[in-house]
């Protein structure tokens, strides 16, 4: 089971919110920043959730700082809405880009274009959902904008349009460390691309990560629990 | 003399390579063959095969690579570019300095490591020139081990055996990304450059 560390940033701060709201500062993102010191981490997802909400360009400064001091792969996202922005992310040290608000079931042109330049393995798609009337419904703009798409429909469409992997995030589990929404995996059909399960990961789940090999995902993404691992 | 130059292919993760090496050796980027100064060149990874070959041909790299005795290290799509071709873009011809053609890995959901893209850290076996270790993979295409006579490391991905490295004299191809594989990968890359 691949272990992924999600680092959330806002401007030049590492932050963490609860259910995509009310971000609190964790530590300054300056030249001396180092990712959490856990040698089991295989990848980093670096996100500035505020970018798409306010229509701001991606937080490239944060990417440069994090990439400068790590030799782990970085998936970078938050506000990437064009081929140019994605290519700049690769130029500055991203190995993959994370797209959410800019891609819907009915609007996949950005993925279609990027596949031709960087290949599908470099494209990660967010499936950020709330549970409404028993259905997992996906959102853009950091949980503000409903896509009117179910998790299943979005996952199927993203595989079909050329995504290399999907990150499945339950918005209401975010930041509360009560455990992942494992049941969402039962809702998804078998997909040939990797699935990363994110949001809500607890310390207990992190401690027994290798015990989840039989689950229907290839990676687990933790965020808040790693805040204890800054030196 | 600059020890290493990274060929500046658009859409690749060339910055990761630079960041990985910058504290240990003299490293720079290079756009075209007439500017090469280094004894080792790296073709970085992460890019569509057709896009990659178009870049190399547009900048005159094909002829240079076919005739150079400098050390060339191709990583991921850079490795594929050094092979004869790739199913990712069949109309583009590879440089042909390494054996085989990159083929689309067929997902096999019944086995571990059976999804495509094949992503994550894998154990790497020893071969004559490379010690065993760990490498980070992120790719949808790979070079099947069958028929590869060059020295290589072979691992199983989705029920088939793939040559995840190849060495032919001064030409080295790596399917995995040493620059994204933590300290183990950095050590390997520095060792390959310095030998």
């Amino acid at each position: 089971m691949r272990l992924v560390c999600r680092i959330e940033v806002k401007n030049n701060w590492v932050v963490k919110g609860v259910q995509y709201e009310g971000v609190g500062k964790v530590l300054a993102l300056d030249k001396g920043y180092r990712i959490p010191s856990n040698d089991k981490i295989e990848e980093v997802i670096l996100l500035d959730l505020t970018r798409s909400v306010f229509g701001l360009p991606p937080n490239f400064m944060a990417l440069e700082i994090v990439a400068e001091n790590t030799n782990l792969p970085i998936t970078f996202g938050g506000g990437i809405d064009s081929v140019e922005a994605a290519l700049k992310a690769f130029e500055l040290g991203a190995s993959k880009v994370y797209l959410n608000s800019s891609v819907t079931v009915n609007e996949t042109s950005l993925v279609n274009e990027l596949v031709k330049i960087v290949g599908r393995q470099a494209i990660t798609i967010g499936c950020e959902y709330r549970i409404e009337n028993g259905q997992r419904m996906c959102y853009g703009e950091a949980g503000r904008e409903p896509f009117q798409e179910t998790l299943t429909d979005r996952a199927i469409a993203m595989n079909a349009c050329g995504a290399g992997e999907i990150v499945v995030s339950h918005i209401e589990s975010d930041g509360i460390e009560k455990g992942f929404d494992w049941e969402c995996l039962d809702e998804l059909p078998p997909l040939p691309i990797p699935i990363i399960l994110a949001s809500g990961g607890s310390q207990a789940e992190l401690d027994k990560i290798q015990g989840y090999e039989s689950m229907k995902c290839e990676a687990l993404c933790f965020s808040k629990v790693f805040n204890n691992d800054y030196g | 003399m600059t020890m290493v130059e990274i060929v500046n292919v658009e859409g690749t993760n060339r910055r990761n390579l630079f960041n990985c090496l910058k504290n240990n050796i003299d490293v720079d980027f290079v756009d075209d063959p007439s500017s090469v100064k280094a004894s080792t060149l790296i073709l970085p990874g992460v890019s569509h095969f057709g896009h990659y070959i178009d870049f190399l041909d547009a900048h005159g790299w094909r002829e240079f690579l076919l005739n150079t005795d400098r050390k060339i290290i191709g990583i991921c799509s850079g490795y594929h570019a050094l092979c004869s071709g790739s199913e990712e873009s069949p109309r583009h011809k590879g440089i042909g300095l390494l054996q085989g053609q990159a083929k689309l890995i067929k997902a096999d959901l019944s086995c571990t490591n059976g999804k495509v893209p094949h992503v994550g850290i894998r154990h790497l076996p020893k071969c004559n020139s490379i010690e065993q270790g760990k490498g980070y993979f992120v790719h949808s295409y790979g070079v099947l081990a069958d028929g590869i006579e060059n020295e290589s490391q072979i691992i199983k991905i989705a029920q088939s055996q793939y040559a995840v490295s190849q060495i032919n004299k001064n030409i080295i191809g790596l399917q995995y990304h040493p620059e994204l594989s933590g300290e183990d990968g950095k050590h390997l890359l520095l060792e390959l450059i310095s030998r």
Side-chain angles (χ1 to χ4, degrees), chain A residues 2 42-43 67-68 71 73 91-93 95-96 115-118 121 164 191-194 218, chain B residues 11 14-16 19 22 47-48 51 109 115-117 119-121 136 138 140 179-182:
Chain A
R2 191 158 36 113
E42 291 186 32
E43 291 182 8
E68 179 88 10
N71 49 357
E91 165 64 30
L92 296 177
S95 295
K96 304 180 218 173
V115 165
K116 288 184 267 184
I117 302 172
V118 298
Q121 84 292 334
L191 292 173
I193 58 173
E218 283 61 50
Chain B
R14 54 202 189 271
R15 177 62 58 178
N16 293 132
N19 286 339
K22 69 181 189 300
S47 185
H48 185 277
H51 181 79
L109 303 190
K115 287 204 171 182
V116 181
V119 184
I121 295 270
Y136 176 81
V138 54
S140 303
E179 79 283 8
L180 302 176
S181 304

mmCIF file of all heavy atoms in Angstrom, chain A residues 2 42-43 67-68 71 73 91-93 95-96 115-118 121 164 191-194 218, chain B residues 11 14-16 19 22 47-48 51 109 115-117 119-121 136 138 140 179-182:
data_model
loop_
_atom_site.group_PDB
_atom_site.id
_atom_site.type_symbol
_atom_site.label_atom_id
_atom_site.label_comp_id
_atom_site.label_asym_id
_atom_site.label_seq_id
_atom_site.Cartn_x
_atom_site.Cartn_y
_atom_site.Cartn_z
ATOM 1 N N ARG A 2 0.688 2.065 -0.996
ATOM 2 C CA ARG A 2 1.497 3.277 -1.134
ATOM 3 C C ARG A 2 1.058 4.317 -0.099
ATOM 4 O O ARG A 2 -0.133 4.526 0.103
ATOM 5 C CB ARG A 2 1.273 3.789 -2.559
ATOM 6 C CG ARG A 2 2.174 4.861 -3.039
ATOM 7 C CD ARG A 2 2.227 4.906 -4.588
ATOM 8 N NE ARG A 2 1.014 4.613 -5.286
ATOM 9 C CZ ARG A 2 0.315 5.502 -6.013
ATOM 10 N NH1 ARG A 2 0.713 6.754 -6.074
ATOM 11 N NH2 ARG A 2 -0.762 5.140 -6.668
ATOM 12 N N GLU A 42 5.938 7.802 0.287
ATOM 13 C CA GLU A 42 6.431 7.572 -1.081
ATOM 14 C C GLU A 42 6.146 8.755 -1.999
ATOM 15 O O GLU A 42 6.821 8.921 -3.019
ATOM 16 C CB GLU A 42 5.792 6.319 -1.684
ATOM 17 C CG GLU A 42 6.247 5.028 -1.038
ATOM 18 C CD GLU A 42 5.709 3.803 -1.762
ATOM 19 O OE1 GLU A 42 5.519 3.839 -2.984
ATOM 20 O OE2 GLU A 42 5.457 2.798 -1.066
ATOM 21 N N GLU A 43 5.111 9.511 -1.687
ATOM 22 C CA GLU A 43 4.720 10.619 -2.560
ATOM 23 C C GLU A 43 4.148 11.755 -1.724
ATOM 24 O O GLU A 43 3.668 11.538 -0.614
ATOM 25 C CB GLU A 43 3.615 10.185 -3.545
ATOM 26 C CG GLU A 43 4.037 9.219 -4.595
ATOM 27 C CD GLU A 43 2.879 8.896 -5.538
ATOM 28 O OE1 GLU A 43 1.822 9.544 -5.448
ATOM 29 O OE2 GLU A 43 3.037 7.988 -6.346
ATOM 30 N N ALA A 67 9.634 21.444 -3.647
ATOM 31 C CA ALA A 67 10.434 20.644 -4.584
ATOM 32 C C ALA A 67 11.928 20.822 -4.353
ATOM 33 O O ALA A 67 12.718 19.907 -4.587
ATOM 34 C CB ALA A 67 10.084 21.016 -6.026
ATOM 35 N N GLU A 68 12.301 21.986 -3.882
ATOM 36 C CA GLU A 68 13.714 22.293 -3.662
ATOM 37 C C GLU A 68 14.355 21.314 -2.671
ATOM 38 O O GLU A 68 15.520 20.975 -2.777
ATOM 39 C CB GLU A 68 13.814 23.725 -3.126
ATOM 40 C CG GLU A 68 15.200 24.219 -2.811
ATOM 41 C CD GLU A 68 15.874 24.840 -4.014
ATOM 42 O OE1 GLU A 68 15.180 25.040 -5.023
ATOM 43 O OE2 GLU A 68 17.081 25.105 -3.932
ATOM 44 N N ASN A 71 13.359 14.753 -2.578
ATOM 45 C CA ASN A 71 13.492 13.947 -3.786
ATOM 46 C C ASN A 71 12.464 12.824 -3.767
ATOM 47 O O ASN A 71 12.762 11.664 -4.045
ATOM 48 C CB ASN A 71 14.918 13.440 -4.029
ATOM 49 C CG ASN A 71 15.527 12.805 -2.807
ATOM 50 O OD1 ASN A 71 14.922 12.786 -1.740
ATOM 51 N ND2 ASN A 71 16.703 12.273 -2.946
ATOM 52 N N PRO A 73 8.363 12.213 -5.339
ATOM 53 C CA PRO A 73 7.473 12.788 -6.359
ATOM 54 C C PRO A 73 6.405 13.684 -5.738
ATOM 55 O O PRO A 73 5.845 13.354 -4.684
ATOM 56 C CB PRO A 73 6.842 11.559 -7.016
ATOM 57 C CG PRO A 73 7.052 10.446 -6.055
ATOM 58 C CD PRO A 73 8.267 10.747 -5.262
ATOM 59 N N GLU A 91 7.649 22.140 -14.875
ATOM 60 C CA GLU A 91 8.906 22.888 -14.969
ATOM 61 C C GLU A 91 9.470 23.185 -13.578
ATOM 62 O O GLU A 91 10.684 23.166 -13.365
ATOM 63 C CB GLU A 91 8.651 24.194 -15.738
ATOM 64 C CG GLU A 91 9.721 25.257 -15.634
ATOM 65 C CD GLU A 91 11.039 24.825 -16.248
ATOM 66 O OE1 GLU A 91 10.999 24.036 -17.201
ATOM 67 O OE2 GLU A 91 12.099 25.250 -15.762
ATOM 68 N N LEU A 92 8.591 23.408 -12.610
ATOM 69 C CA LEU A 92 9.040 23.814 -11.274
ATOM 70 C C LEU A 92 9.225 22.638 -10.315
ATOM 71 O O LEU A 92 9.585 22.841 -9.159
ATOM 72 C CB LEU A 92 8.050 24.822 -10.679
ATOM 73 C CG LEU A 92 7.954 26.149 -11.431
ATOM 74 C CD1 LEU A 92 6.886 27.041 -10.804
ATOM 75 C CD2 LEU A 92 9.300 26.866 -11.436
ATOM 76 N N GLY A 93 8.956 21.425 -10.768
ATOM 77 C CA GLY A 93 9.270 20.293 -9.897
ATOM 78 C C GLY A 93 8.138 19.336 -9.610
ATOM 79 O O GLY A 93 8.308 18.415 -8.802
ATOM 80 N N SER A 95 5.763 16.141 -10.443
ATOM 81 C CA SER A 95 5.817 14.927 -11.263
ATOM 82 C C SER A 95 4.445 14.593 -11.823
ATOM 83 O O SER A 95 4.326 13.864 -12.803
ATOM 84 C CB SER A 95 6.314 13.737 -10.436
ATOM 85 O OG SER A 95 7.632 13.960 -10.041
ATOM 86 N N LYS A 96 3.398 15.097 -11.141
ATOM 87 C CA LYS A 96 2.024 14.921 -11.615
ATOM 88 C C LYS A 96 1.270 16.200 -11.282
ATOM 89 O O LYS A 96 1.671 16.959 -10.394
ATOM 90 C CB LYS A 96 1.321 13.753 -10.910
ATOM 91 C CG LYS A 96 2.002 12.423 -10.998
ATOM 92 C CD LYS A 96 1.177 11.372 -10.250
ATOM 93 C CE LYS A 96 2.053 10.394 -9.513
ATOM 94 N NZ LYS A 96 1.311 9.479 -8.652
ATOM 95 N N VAL A 115 -2.813 14.798 -21.834
ATOM 96 C CA VAL A 115 -2.382 13.419 -22.106
ATOM 97 C C VAL A 115 -1.433 13.389 -23.288
ATOM 98 O O VAL A 115 -0.448 12.643 -23.303
ATOM 99 C CB VAL A 115 -3.601 12.507 -22.370
ATOM 100 C CG1 VAL A 115 -3.163 11.189 -22.998
ATOM 101 C CG2 VAL A 115 -4.348 12.236 -21.084
ATOM 102 N N LYS A 116 -1.704 14.225 -24.281
ATOM 103 C CA LYS A 116 -0.894 14.204 -25.499
ATOM 104 C C LYS A 116 0.509 14.763 -25.265
ATOM 105 O O LYS A 116 1.411 14.543 -26.068
ATOM 106 C CB LYS A 116 -1.590 15.016 -26.600
ATOM 107 C CG LYS A 116 -2.820 14.324 -27.154
ATOM 108 C CD LYS A 116 -3.424 15.108 -28.302
ATOM 109 C CE LYS A 116 -4.504 16.036 -27.823
ATOM 110 N NZ LYS A 116 -5.225 16.774 -28.848
ATOM 111 N N ILE A 117 0.685 15.509 -24.190
ATOM 112 C CA ILE A 117 1.994 16.132 -23.937
ATOM 113 C C ILE A 117 2.768 15.384 -22.852
ATOM 114 O O ILE A 117 3.952 15.091 -23.010
ATOM 115 C CB ILE A 117 1.819 17.605 -23.523
ATOM 116 C CG1 ILE A 117 1.067 18.367 -24.614
ATOM 117 C CG2 ILE A 117 3.173 18.265 -23.252
ATOM 118 C CD1 ILE A 117 0.674 19.773 -24.221
ATOM 119 N N VAL A 118 2.100 15.093 -21.757
ATOM 120 C CA VAL A 118 2.832 14.516 -20.619
ATOM 121 C C VAL A 118 2.504 13.046 -20.370
ATOM 122 O O VAL A 118 3.153 12.395 -19.547
ATOM 123 C CB VAL A 118 2.573 15.323 -19.326
ATOM 124 C CG1 VAL A 118 3.080 16.744 -19.484
ATOM 125 C CG2 VAL A 118 1.101 15.329 -18.945
ATOM 126 N N GLN A 121 0.049 9.069 -17.098
ATOM 127 C CA GLN A 121 0.573 8.772 -15.761
ATOM 128 C C GLN A 121 0.862 10.034 -14.956
ATOM 129 O O GLN A 121 1.047 9.960 -13.743
ATOM 130 C CB GLN A 121 1.827 7.902 -15.875
ATOM 131 C CG GLN A 121 3.138 8.635 -16.114
ATOM 132 C CD GLN A 121 3.215 9.288 -17.475
ATOM 133 O OE1 GLN A 121 2.562 8.849 -18.410
ATOM 134 N NE2 GLN A 121 4.001 10.347 -17.589
ATOM 135 N N GLY A 164 -4.598 9.318 -15.008
ATOM 136 C CA GLY A 164 -3.685 8.254 -14.599
ATOM 137 C C GLY A 164 -4.040 7.666 -13.259
ATOM 138 O O GLY A 164 -3.674 6.527 -12.953
ATOM 139 N N LEU A 191 -11.625 -0.495 -11.514
ATOM 140 C CA LEU A 191 -10.998 0.445 -12.455
ATOM 141 C C LEU A 191 -9.570 -0.002 -12.729
ATOM 142 O O LEU A 191 -8.875 -0.447 -11.807
ATOM 143 C CB LEU A 191 -10.976 1.858 -11.866
ATOM 144 C CG LEU A 191 -12.310 2.564 -11.694
ATOM 145 C CD1 LEU A 191 -12.114 3.891 -10.941
ATOM 146 C CD2 LEU A 191 -12.958 2.835 -13.043
ATOM 147 N N PRO A 192 -9.094 0.146 -13.967
ATOM 148 C CA PRO A 192 -7.719 -0.266 -14.265
ATOM 149 C C PRO A 192 -6.661 0.708 -13.762
ATOM 150 O O PRO A 192 -5.480 0.389 -13.762
ATOM 151 C CB PRO A 192 -7.707 -0.335 -15.797
ATOM 152 C CG PRO A 192 -8.766 0.619 -16.226
ATOM 153 C CD PRO A 192 -9.825 0.575 -15.164
ATOM 154 N N ILE A 193 -7.081 1.915 -13.347
ATOM 155 C CA ILE A 193 -6.116 2.905 -12.862
ATOM 156 C C ILE A 193 -6.088 2.908 -11.331
ATOM 157 O O ILE A 193 -7.069 2.529 -10.682
ATOM 158 C CB ILE A 193 -6.447 4.329 -13.380
ATOM 159 C CG1 ILE A 193 -7.863 4.756 -12.952
ATOM 160 C CG2 ILE A 193 -6.295 4.400 -14.884
ATOM 161 C CD1 ILE A 193 -8.200 6.205 -13.287
ATOM 162 N N PRO A 194 -4.965 3.321 -10.746
ATOM 163 C CA PRO A 194 -4.869 3.337 -9.284
ATOM 164 C C PRO A 194 -5.873 4.303 -8.637
ATOM 165 O O PRO A 194 -6.220 5.339 -9.200
ATOM 166 C CB PRO A 194 -3.434 3.811 -9.030
ATOM 167 C CG PRO A 194 -2.687 3.485 -10.279
ATOM 168 C CD PRO A 194 -3.678 3.672 -11.390
ATOM 169 N N GLU A 218 -5.006 1.530 -4.045
ATOM 170 C CA GLU A 218 -3.574 1.282 -4.170
ATOM 171 C C GLU A 218 -2.751 2.171 -3.253
ATOM 172 O O GLU A 218 -1.561 1.931 -3.047
ATOM 173 C CB GLU A 218 -3.122 1.519 -5.623
ATOM 174 C CG GLU A 218 -3.469 0.410 -6.578
ATOM 175 C CD GLU A 218 -4.962 0.157 -6.690
ATOM 176 O OE1 GLU A 218 -5.706 1.139 -6.894
ATOM 177 O OE2 GLU A 218 -5.391 -0.998 -6.544
ATOM 178 N N GLY B 11 7.764 19.455 -20.686
ATOM 179 C CA GLY B 11 6.793 18.491 -20.166
ATOM 180 C C GLY B 11 7.409 17.400 -19.313
ATOM 181 O O GLY B 11 6.701 16.543 -18.806
ATOM 182 N N ARG B 14 12.309 17.606 -15.388
ATOM 183 C CA ARG B 14 13.738 17.914 -15.367
ATOM 184 C C ARG B 14 14.158 18.659 -14.119
ATOM 185 O O ARG B 14 15.289 18.520 -13.650
ATOM 186 C CB ARG B 14 14.114 18.702 -16.626
ATOM 187 C CG ARG B 14 13.288 19.964 -16.861
ATOM 188 C CD ARG B 14 13.364 20.342 -18.343
ATOM 189 N NE ARG B 14 12.789 21.647 -18.659
ATOM 190 C CZ ARG B 14 11.513 21.847 -18.975
ATOM 191 N NH1 ARG B 14 10.655 20.834 -18.960
ATOM 192 N NH2 ARG B 14 11.091 23.058 -19.281
ATOM 193 N N ARG B 15 13.266 19.451 -13.555
ATOM 194 C CA ARG B 15 13.613 20.200 -12.343
ATOM 195 C C ARG B 15 13.876 19.256 -11.173
ATOM 196 O O ARG B 15 14.733 19.522 -10.331
ATOM 197 C CB ARG B 15 12.480 21.183 -12.009
ATOM 198 C CG ARG B 15 12.668 21.985 -10.742
ATOM 199 C CD ARG B 15 13.879 22.879 -10.746
ATOM 200 N NE ARG B 15 13.878 23.836 -11.843
ATOM 201 C CZ ARG B 15 14.824 24.759 -12.036
ATOM 202 N NH1 ARG B 15 15.827 24.855 -11.207
ATOM 203 N NH2 ARG B 15 14.763 25.566 -13.079
ATOM 204 N N ASN B 16 13.140 18.147 -11.077
ATOM 205 C CA ASN B 16 13.392 17.175 -10.011
ATOM 206 C C ASN B 16 14.816 16.633 -10.099
ATOM 207 O O ASN B 16 15.491 16.457 -9.078
ATOM 208 C CB ASN B 16 12.416 15.996 -10.095
ATOM 209 C CG ASN B 16 10.987 16.386 -9.813
ATOM 210 O OD1 ASN B 16 10.089 16.024 -10.545
ATOM 211 N ND2 ASN B 16 10.759 17.144 -8.756
ATOM 212 N N ASN B 19 17.206 19.336 -8.920
ATOM 213 C CA ASN B 19 17.178 19.475 -7.463
ATOM 214 C C ASN B 19 17.857 18.304 -6.766
ATOM 215 O O ASN B 19 18.503 18.469 -5.731
ATOM 216 C CB ASN B 19 15.730 19.594 -6.967
ATOM 217 C CG ASN B 19 15.123 20.957 -7.264
ATOM 218 O OD1 ASN B 19 15.837 21.933 -7.476
ATOM 219 N ND2 ASN B 19 13.803 21.027 -7.308
ATOM 220 N N LYS B 22 21.870 18.857 -7.489
ATOM 221 C CA LYS B 22 22.535 20.170 -7.415
ATOM 222 C C LYS B 22 23.488 20.333 -6.231
ATOM 223 O O LYS B 22 24.450 21.101 -6.320
ATOM 224 C CB LYS B 22 21.495 21.295 -7.405
ATOM 225 C CG LYS B 22 20.662 21.374 -6.135
ATOM 226 C CD LYS B 22 19.660 22.502 -6.246
ATOM 227 C CE LYS B 22 18.936 22.805 -4.945
ATOM 228 N NZ LYS B 22 18.157 21.705 -4.382
ATOM 229 N N SER B 47 6.782 12.302 -19.930
ATOM 230 C CA SER B 47 6.353 12.989 -21.145
ATOM 231 C C SER B 47 5.751 11.954 -22.085
ATOM 232 O O SER B 47 6.081 10.774 -22.010
ATOM 233 C CB SER B 47 7.543 13.674 -21.830
ATOM 234 O OG SER B 47 7.109 14.435 -22.935
ATOM 235 N N HIS B 48 4.893 12.415 -22.963
ATOM 236 C CA HIS B 48 4.341 11.543 -24.004
ATOM 237 C C HIS B 48 5.455 11.213 -25.001
ATOM 238 O O HIS B 48 6.248 12.082 -25.376
ATOM 239 C CB HIS B 48 3.187 12.262 -24.703
ATOM 240 C CG HIS B 48 2.475 11.430 -25.713
ATOM 241 N ND1 HIS B 48 2.935 11.284 -27.004
ATOM 242 C CD2 HIS B 48 1.338 10.700 -25.621
ATOM 243 C CE1 HIS B 48 2.103 10.500 -27.671
ATOM 244 N NE2 HIS B 48 1.131 10.134 -26.850
ATOM 245 N N HIS B 51 5.638 13.380 -28.209
ATOM 246 C CA HIS B 51 6.068 14.741 -27.872
ATOM 247 C C HIS B 51 7.579 14.758 -27.633
ATOM 248 O O HIS B 51 8.286 15.669 -28.079
ATOM 249 C CB HIS B 51 5.309 15.188 -26.612
ATOM 250 C CG HIS B 51 5.627 16.555 -26.158
ATOM 251 N ND1 HIS B 51 5.102 17.678 -26.742
ATOM 252 C CD2 HIS B 51 6.438 17.001 -25.165
ATOM 253 C CE1 HIS B 51 5.556 18.754 -26.126
ATOM 254 N NE2 HIS B 51 6.368 18.370 -25.171
ATOM 255 N N LEU B 109 -6.253 -6.805 -12.972
ATOM 256 C CA LEU B 109 -6.781 -6.471 -11.654
ATOM 257 C C LEU B 109 -6.740 -7.661 -10.694
ATOM 258 O O LEU B 109 -7.035 -7.509 -9.514
ATOM 259 C CB LEU B 109 -8.220 -5.948 -11.779
ATOM 260 C CG LEU B 109 -8.408 -4.723 -12.691
ATOM 261 C CD1 LEU B 109 -9.806 -4.158 -12.545
ATOM 262 C CD2 LEU B 109 -7.383 -3.643 -12.387
ATOM 263 N N LYS B 115 -2.323 -2.669 -11.711
ATOM 264 C CA LYS B 115 -3.017 -1.523 -12.310
ATOM 265 C C LYS B 115 -2.077 -0.698 -13.176
ATOM 266 O O LYS B 115 -0.853 -0.761 -13.018
ATOM 267 C CB LYS B 115 -3.628 -0.662 -11.206
ATOM 268 C CG LYS B 115 -4.854 -1.325 -10.565
ATOM 269 C CD LYS B 115 -5.760 -0.300 -9.946
ATOM 270 C CE LYS B 115 -7.072 -0.929 -9.510
ATOM 271 N NZ LYS B 115 -8.000 0.068 -8.951
ATOM 272 N N VAL B 116 -2.652 0.049 -14.069
ATOM 273 C CA VAL B 116 -1.889 0.881 -15.003
ATOM 274 C C VAL B 116 -2.499 2.292 -15.021
ATOM 275 O O VAL B 116 -3.715 2.417 -15.200
ATOM 276 C CB VAL B 116 -1.933 0.279 -16.421
ATOM 277 C CG1 VAL B 116 -1.107 1.128 -17.394
ATOM 278 C CG2 VAL B 116 -1.402 -1.149 -16.404
ATOM 279 N N PRO B 117 -1.684 3.309 -14.808
ATOM 280 C CA PRO B 117 -0.238 3.317 -14.674
ATOM 281 C C PRO B 117 0.262 2.497 -13.479
ATOM 282 O O PRO B 117 -0.406 2.400 -12.452
ATOM 283 C CB PRO B 117 0.087 4.804 -14.460
ATOM 284 C CG PRO B 117 -1.082 5.554 -14.977
ATOM 285 C CD PRO B 117 -2.257 4.677 -14.752
ATOM 286 N N VAL B 119 2.458 2.445 -10.500
ATOM 287 C CA VAL B 119 2.950 3.571 -9.687
ATOM 288 C C VAL B 119 3.446 3.065 -8.342
ATOM 289 O O VAL B 119 2.802 2.226 -7.712
ATOM 290 C CB VAL B 119 1.835 4.607 -9.436
ATOM 291 C CG1 VAL B 119 2.387 5.814 -8.679
ATOM 292 C CG2 VAL B 119 1.197 5.066 -10.734
ATOM 293 N N GLY B 120 4.570 3.601 -7.886
ATOM 294 C CA GLY B 120 5.020 3.354 -6.530
ATOM 295 C C GLY B 120 6.438 2.823 -6.446
ATOM 296 O O GLY B 120 7.110 2.616 -7.456
ATOM 297 N N ILE B 121 6.880 2.633 -5.217
ATOM 298 C CA ILE B 121 8.227 2.124 -4.946
ATOM 299 C C ILE B 121 8.228 0.606 -5.092
ATOM 300 O O ILE B 121 7.377 -0.076 -4.539
ATOM 301 C CB ILE B 121 8.664 2.497 -3.511
ATOM 302 C CG1 ILE B 121 8.806 4.016 -3.363
ATOM 303 C CG2 ILE B 121 9.937 1.764 -3.128
ATOM 304 C CD1 ILE B 121 10.148 4.570 -3.674
ATOM 305 N N TYR B 136 11.310 4.239 -7.629
ATOM 306 C CA TYR B 136 9.945 4.749 -7.777
ATOM 307 C C TYR B 136 9.544 4.694 -9.253
ATOM 308 O O TYR B 136 10.247 5.215 -10.124
ATOM 309 C CB TYR B 136 9.841 6.185 -7.261
ATOM 310 C CG TYR B 136 8.477 6.791 -7.473
ATOM 311 C CD1 TYR B 136 7.439 6.515 -6.597
ATOM 312 C CD2 TYR B 136 8.222 7.620 -8.567
ATOM 313 C CE1 TYR B 136 6.173 7.054 -6.794
ATOM 314 C CE2 TYR B 136 6.962 8.160 -8.773
ATOM 315 C CZ TYR B 136 5.944 7.875 -7.881
ATOM 316 O OH TYR B 136 4.697 8.405 -8.090
ATOM 317 N N VAL B 138 6.468 5.342 -12.221
ATOM 318 C CA VAL B 138 5.182 5.937 -12.609
ATOM 319 C C VAL B 138 5.132 5.926 -14.139
ATOM 320 O O VAL B 138 5.696 6.769 -14.809
ATOM 321 C CB VAL B 138 4.966 7.347 -11.999
ATOM 322 C CG1 VAL B 138 6.118 8.290 -12.305
ATOM 323 C CG2 VAL B 138 3.642 7.948 -12.440
ATOM 324 N N SER B 140 2.964 3.974 -17.848
ATOM 325 C CA SER B 140 1.933 3.128 -18.447
ATOM 326 C C SER B 140 2.511 2.199 -19.508
ATOM 327 O O SER B 140 1.855 1.253 -19.922
ATOM 328 C CB SER B 140 0.857 4.001 -19.115
ATOM 329 O OG SER B 140 0.296 4.892 -18.188
ATOM 330 N N GLU B 179 15.673 9.908 -9.242
ATOM 331 C CA GLU B 179 15.578 11.256 -8.658
ATOM 332 C C GLU B 179 14.347 11.410 -7.772
ATOM 333 O O GLU B 179 14.222 12.399 -7.050
ATOM 334 C CB GLU B 179 15.591 12.316 -9.772
ATOM 335 C CG GLU B 179 14.276 12.525 -10.522
ATOM 336 C CD GLU B 179 13.967 11.440 -11.560
ATOM 337 O OE1 GLU B 179 14.689 10.434 -11.606
ATOM 338 O OE2 GLU B 179 12.993 11.614 -12.313
ATOM 339 N N LEU B 180 13.422 10.439 -7.833
ATOM 340 C CA LEU B 180 12.211 10.492 -7.005
ATOM 341 C C LEU B 180 12.171 9.323 -6.022
ATOM 342 O O LEU B 180 11.122 8.989 -5.499
ATOM 343 C CB LEU B 180 10.964 10.449 -7.902
ATOM 344 C CG LEU B 180 10.831 11.555 -8.944
ATOM 345 C CD1 LEU B 180 9.597 11.316 -9.817
ATOM 346 C CD2 LEU B 180 10.736 12.920 -8.278
ATOM 347 N N SER B 181 13.302 8.707 -5.799
ATOM 348 C CA SER B 181 13.354 7.488 -4.988
ATOM 349 C C SER B 181 14.105 7.698 -3.677
ATOM 350 O O SER B 181 14.727 6.765 -3.154
ATOM 351 C CB SER B 181 14.013 6.352 -5.779
ATOM 352 O OG SER B 181 13.342 6.125 -6.996
ATOM 353 N N GLY B 182 14.062 8.903 -3.144
ATOM 354 C CA GLY B 182 14.708 9.163 -1.868
ATOM 355 C C GLY B 182 16.226 9.034 -1.951
ATOM 356 O O GLY B 182 16.824 9.148 -3.023
#
